[in-house]
Amino acid sequence: MRSTHTHSAVLAHARGPIAIESIYLGEPGPGEVLLRMEACGICHSDLFVAGLEKLPLAPLTLGHEGVGRVESVGAQVTDWAVGDRAGITFLGPTCGSCEWCTTGRQRFCPKQLNFGYTLHGALGEYAIAPVSALVRVPESLDAEAAAPLCCAGWTACGALREAGLENGQSVALFGLGGLGHLALQLAKARGMRIAAVDVAEDKLHMAREWGADVVAHGETAGRTLQKEFGGVDAAIVLTPSAAAIHQAFRALKRTGTLVLVGLAMSQYELPLVDTVLKGITVRGSYLGSRQDLAEVFRLAEAGFLRPHTQSYALAEAPRLLERLRAGELMGRAVITW
Ligand SMILES: [Zn+2]
Ligand SMILES: [Zn+2]
């Protein structure tokens, strides 16, 4: 078995700088494999982790939407072989026995570990990962396109399902970045009427090209969507902005559903009168089920889901995270090797 050094994007300490570091990885332990990464997307949750007051693990390798190939296997690994293609998501190993693990909702396990947070992540040439948390990635997909499906695509699919929409119903998507543009494609594939909302004009322009029925500027979206749709059946907030939640709430029709996805350390005050008298449902959505992830890969293989990606070298990762924070990235930035 070989021991490995890697270059990875490392967060030095809580709220510390992110830099490319040379790291000694060692060998995969029991139940683990060494992956040679092919691609890893840059996600807003990397910024969320980087902004936390405390970190469970530091220095920390970031990254949680990676695709790689098994380079070597540790002891007790029987179902993964050298050359197999694996995906790393945000969801690491879970306990396997709690009420959420035993009902297919492992993402709510209170003992879950997370890549790029409590475990080292995928934003490096090599990564060591426990096989219990790896997902199979279809060979037919290009690694650069498959990587964003492991977080952005999966999360978008889960959120649309949580919105509980049927064919022909209307959905407003707030935030047209990595998640939003994939949510738009998924909503399109399901025959929904789509309103796309953002504060950036270039993203609204792209949303129209990607098939949104209506586009609305974030600051006035509530009013616009009441006028255009008579309110929407569901509004999904994919961006970490309390102002977006306010507009999303205003965009809902009676008995509509507000789905919160974007992570931020802010508070939102729920308007009680409207929530009660209009029968509004407010729910959070985190990642998705295993079936959601399988569906995302299936739709991508069938050509319904095409992540808009731009490929970069690892050295660019720190700068890309800054550009992501500034809302400057279109689609998904993906590091490829
Ligand atoms: Zn993510
Ligand atoms: Zn559990």
Side-chain angles (χ1 to χ4, degrees), residues 85-165:
R85 204 174 201 204
I88 287 180
T89 70
F90 188 62
L91 189 60
T94 64
C95 81
S97 57
C98 70
E99 68 176 281
W100 298 281
C101 282
T102 52
T103 52
R105 297 175 294 168
Q106 291 87 346
R107 65 195 186 279
F108 298 116
C109 175
K111 294 186 177 159
Q112 70 185 275
L113 298 174
N114 300 106
F115 290 104
Y117 177 42
T118 49
L119 296 169
H120 287 299
L123 210 42
E125 293 169 283
Y126 291 91
I128 286 178
V131 290
S132 64
L134 293 180
V135 297
R136 303 258 174 202
V137 178
E139 287 290 338
S140 66
L141 295 178
D142 176 59
E144 183 181 326
L149 302 179
C150 293
C151 181
W154 190 22
T155 303
C157 186
L160 274 172
R161 190 176 41 72
E162 296 287 7
L165 295 173

Side-chain angles (χ1 to χ4, degrees), residues 43 45 64 151:
C43 176
S45 303
H64 59 265
C151 181

Side-chain angles (χ1 to χ4, degrees), residues 39-74:
C40 183
I42 304 265
C43 176
H44 214 283
S45 303
D46 294 314
L47 288 174
F48 181 77
V49 169
L52 291 173
E53 218 168 289
K54 281 187 189 162
L55 277 185
L57 181 64
L60 171 71
T61 298
L62 294 171
H64 59 265
E65 51 173 46
V67 172
R69 286 195 188 274
V70 175
E71 184 91 349
S72 65
V73 300

Side-chain angles (χ1 to χ4, degrees), residues 210-289:
W210 294 334
D213 298 293
V214 169
V215 300
H217 193 276
E219 282 169 17
T220 50
R223 194 161 14 107
T224 309
L225 299 184
Q226 287 298 339
K227 205 167 113 210
E228 298 271 353
F229 279 93
V232 290
D233 292 295
I236 305 180
V237 183
L238 301 149
T239 180
S241 151
I245 299 172
H246 178 69
Q247 289 295 328
F249 190 94
R250 290 187 65 173
L252 291 171
K253 68 156 78 150
R254 288 165 183 262
T255 68
T257 301
L258 176 65
V259 184
L260 304 177
V261 181
L263 282 181
M265 281 300 182
S266 53
Q267 307 285 324
Y268 171 68
E269 280 186 23
L270 197 63
L272 286 177
V273 171
D274 276 353
T275 305
V276 173
L277 297 185
K278 294 182 179 172
I280 301 298
T281 300
V282 179
R283 61 180 316 160
S285 181
Y286 166 55
L287 302 176
S289 66

